[in-house]
Amino acid sequence: MLTSLHHLIDREWMLEAYRLTRKDGAPGIDGMMATDYEANLEANLCDLLARIKSGRYIAPPVRRHYIPKADGTERPLGIPTLEDKVAQRAILLLLEPIYETDFLSCSYGFRPGRSAHDALHALRNGFMEQGLRWVVDVDISKYFDTIDHTHLRRFLDQRVADGIVRRMIDKWLKAGVLEKGVLRRTTGGTPQGGVISPLLANIYLHYVLDEWFEQVARPRVKGRCQLVRYADDAVIAFEDHLSGKRLLNVLGKRLGRYGLQLHPTKTHFVDFRFKRPGGRHPATAGTTFNFLGFTHVWGQSRRGKNVVLQITAKDRYARALASVTEWCRLNLHRPFREQHAHLSRVIRGGGTAPTTASPATADGSDGITTSSRGYGRNGSRGVVATAICRGRASEPCSRDTRCRQPRSSTNMPSRERSLRVKNRMRVIRSSGSVRGGDGNIPAYSAKCKTPETYPISRVEAINLRFVG
């Protein structure tokens, strides 16, 4: 367990947190924009750092905003202020390398070095190489709004005990929501749109679902099985039909003990065999399923072999066409060559990006990617057009990085400052101990397959008790 972390957050750390914070997002309740905050950036960040460490920081309520969903309902988003985003990013940079050593390989959502591309690739490999033919399509009803704070704090107690970090997390959980001028305090859930919300959501499902599946469910399952989870979207595939039915029956009870509930109409048991002599199994609800915006069906390759096709879902396809049509209608006055260049970029997308789609990012941006490699809606090789992924390249750094004069964090090139912060994050992730400001080395447990890989001073085993 880590008991001392906050000493790692300094001015250099805050500058890196501000650099990684999205600047073009919608403002929070204070209306502060990035241009106004940058007018006196160093003083503002130093004041924010002092308030965080002294406990004087007050987390402002998030501004409620609704976006339409595919089923006609609206998804509530919580938009924090710019300064609150920077504070959340600073704590996220501190906690992310710690929990990356704990998270299992079945989790792909909002993790560095992992994406929806990897989740779709792993799921397809499970069908093609492991012979998985029965699918439980898991949909948790209003997951981000129903996370139980008591259970979340208990999960955090197993790894992080730093008082300042935990106090900041509690302030964000209790900040409340401002909607139409009315402040409403929340007793559960984490606001979608916050920077640290995806990490807290991953921590919650790591203990509730991922470790329970690997340590309790998998040993009791007949045949092979696989869990692929992206945030709150999960698919569990089985080789044996009865094993899938048994897990579906106990999964609702398992989630219910932690305040979660399966969606009654969106959670399905799917017969995903490519050969069904007697037709679809009567205990299943279909033969195809959607995951991360793609419909998974069986088809044939050009050589006549049975393969899994990941086709753009009908609602996503219709939404993308409507978006392109609306853009064309509003930009008819533009020169023809300019319209052609824009539409070509939309259709090509990344050019070499595989067929996939990425859900909304943590700060509310639209993270749906474009792909030019994949199968069209009719099963033939073609273009899948969705939207354009917004990428942000790192700022160029100065060539002269060997100056003998010490430089402040403000004047340091952003790339060099980023590398220094990442090196400190790597120490947290790999060393097993973090030296405190007083010279003491508080130990914490680090999960690794080979203990000699990391110079751990003391390894404490964590006994996780699972129910169900």
Side-chain angles (χ1 to χ4, degrees):
M1 179 185 296
L2 279 167
T3 58
S4 180
L5 281 173
H6 65 273
H7 64 275
L8 294 172
I9 306 178
D10 53 12
R11 184 178 61 177
E12 183 181 89
W13 194 281
M14 298 300 294
L15 285 170
E16 178 64 14
Y18 181 79
R19 187 188 71 84
L20 296 175
T21 301
R22 181 181 172 185
K23 312 299 191 302
D24 57 346
I29 60 174
D30 60 351
M32 175 71 70
M33 301 298 292
T35 53
D36 303 328
Y37 198 80
E38 290 175 353
N40 199 5
L41 179 60
E42 188 172 356
N44 290 333
L45 292 180
C46 289
D47 178 66
L48 175 60
L49 177 61
R51 282 181 285 139
I52 290 175
K53 292 194 173 183
S54 64
R56 294 181 292 109
Y57 181 77
I58 300 177
V62 296
R63 181 170 63 88
R64 177 66 77 201
H65 179 70
Y66 293 92
I67 59 174
K69 297 176 63 176
D71 56 0
T73 60
E74 292 183 329
R75 183 190 306 275
L77 295 180
I79 303 177
T81 62
L82 177 65
E83 188 175 62
D84 200 44
K85 290 180 182 179
V86 177
Q88 292 187 32
R89 179 67 65 179
I91 301 298
L92 177 67
L93 292 175
L94 200 63
L95 297 180
E96 195 173 63
I98 299 173
Y99 280 100
E100 278 300 309
T101 62
D102 293 351
F103 289 157
L104 303 181
S105 59
C106 60
S107 174
Y108 293 90
F110 304 108
R111 294 183 57 186
R114 286 173 168 253
S115 65
H117 299 251
D118 304 319
L120 290 169
H121 182 70
L123 184 61
R124 187 177 186 273
N125 284 347
F127 294 131
M128 298 292 296
E129 299 176 3
Q130 300 183 32
L132 307 178
R133 296 295 181 265
W134 307 90
V135 175
V136 177
D137 186 6
V138 181
D139 188 281
I140 303 177
S141 179
K142 299 180 179 179
Y143 170 63
F144 284 88
D145 298 331
T146 56
I147 293 178
D148 186 87
H149 290 174
T150 303
H151 290 301
L152 179 59
R153 292 188 183 96
R154 183 162 61 87
F155 295 149
L156 291 171
D157 287 340
Q158 302 184 27
R159 292 295 273 142
V160 179
D162 187 289
I164 291 178
V165 175
R166 294 297 301 275
R167 183 168 60 226
M168 290 293 294
I169 295 177
D170 285 341
K171 288 181 179 181
W172 288 318
L173 294 177
K174 300 176 182 178
V177 177
L178 186 64
E179 183 176 2
K180 297 180 179 179
V182 178
L183 178 61
R184 180 172 58 86
R185 296 295 179 181
T186 56
T187 57
T190 59
Q192 288 183 266
V195 177
I196 203 170
S197 294
L199 177 63
L200 299 179
N202 271 337
I203 294 173
Y204 201 81
L205 278 184
H206 168 73
Y207 290 103
V208 174
L209 180 60
D210 297 353
E211 285 202 341
W212 171 80
F213 177 80
E214 293 293 337
Q215 299 181 9
V216 178
R218 184 186 288 273
R220 294 169 173 81
V221 169
K222 179 182 177 181
R224 288 170 289 191
C225 60
Q226 181 186 25
L227 167 65
V228 178
R229 181 177 66 83
Y230 192 99
D232 59 332
D233 295 330
V235 169
I236 310 176
F238 300 88
E239 187 179 7
D240 180 65
H241 165 259
L242 293 179
S243 297
K245 288 293 295 182
R246 287 175 52 200
L247 187 133
L248 181 59
N249 292 334
V250 302
L251 182 60
K253 300 177 183 179
R254 170 67 183 180
L255 297 179
R257 291 173 182 175
Y258 294 92
L260 304 177
Q261 183 180 4
L262 291 174
H263 198 286
T265 59
K266 295 183 179 180
T267 301
H268 305 292
F269 186 47
V270 179
D271 182 355
F272 202 63
R273 297 174 297 174
F274 60 87
K275 290 183 179 180
R276 293 179 288 272
R280 178 174 60 87
H281 196 282
T284 59
T287 58
T288 64
F289 66 95
N290 292 342
F291 183 59
L292 298 181
F294 283 80
T295 301
H296 292 67
V297 298
W298 281 100
Q300 287 189 344
S301 66
R302 295 178 178 179
R303 297 183 178 181
K305 296 183 179 180
N306 293 317
V307 295
V308 175
L309 307 182
Q310 295 172 327
I311 305 172
T312 308
K314 292 182 180 180
D315 56 343
R316 297 291 182 95
Y317 190 82
R319 196 187 315 167
L321 289 181
S323 176
V324 173
T325 302
E326 181 67 14
W327 186 91
C328 293
R329 187 180 66 85
L330 297 176
N331 293 272
L332 290 175
H333 61 284
R334 295 181 179 272
F336 177 78
R337 293 184 180 274
E338 185 176 340
Q339 296 183 47
H340 175 268
H342 174 81
L343 295 176
S344 298
R345 288 194 301 268
V346 170
I347 295 177
R348 283 197 307 268
T352 58
T355 306
T356 188
S358 173
T361 56
D363 51 9
S365 62
D366 223 345
I368 300 176
T369 59
T370 317
S371 172
S372 61
R373 294 176 55 195
Y375 291 89
R377 296 184 61 191
N378 57 357
S380 60
R381 198 75 170 173
V383 175
V384 180
T386 51
I388 299 178
C389 177
R390 297 179 180 178
R392 189 177 293 109
S394 58
E395 300 177 9
C397 63
S398 173
R399 293 178 180 268
D400 186 14
T401 58
R402 302 180 180 179
C403 180
R404 299 180 180 178
Q405 298 295 331
R407 289 173 293 181
S408 65
S409 301
T410 308
N411 299 328
M412 185 182 302
S414 60
R415 181 174 176 82
E416 183 178 345
R417 182 173 62 246
S418 176
L419 290 176
R420 292 179 59 174
V421 172
K422 288 181 180 179
N423 288 335
R424 294 161 64 185
M425 293 170 61
R426 192 177 295 113
V427 171
I428 300 174
R429 180 172 64 250
S430 61
S431 67
S433 61
V434 180
R435 184 174 298 277
D438 54 356
N440 297 325
I441 303 180
Y444 71 94
S445 63
K447 292 186 178 180
C448 55
K449 296 182 179 179
T450 55
E452 62 272 14
T453 305
Y454 306 114
I456 300 174
S457 59
R458 184 174 78 252
V459 178
E460 300 175 356
I462 299 177
N463 297 322
L464 302 177
R465 295 184 177 90
F466 293 93
V467 181

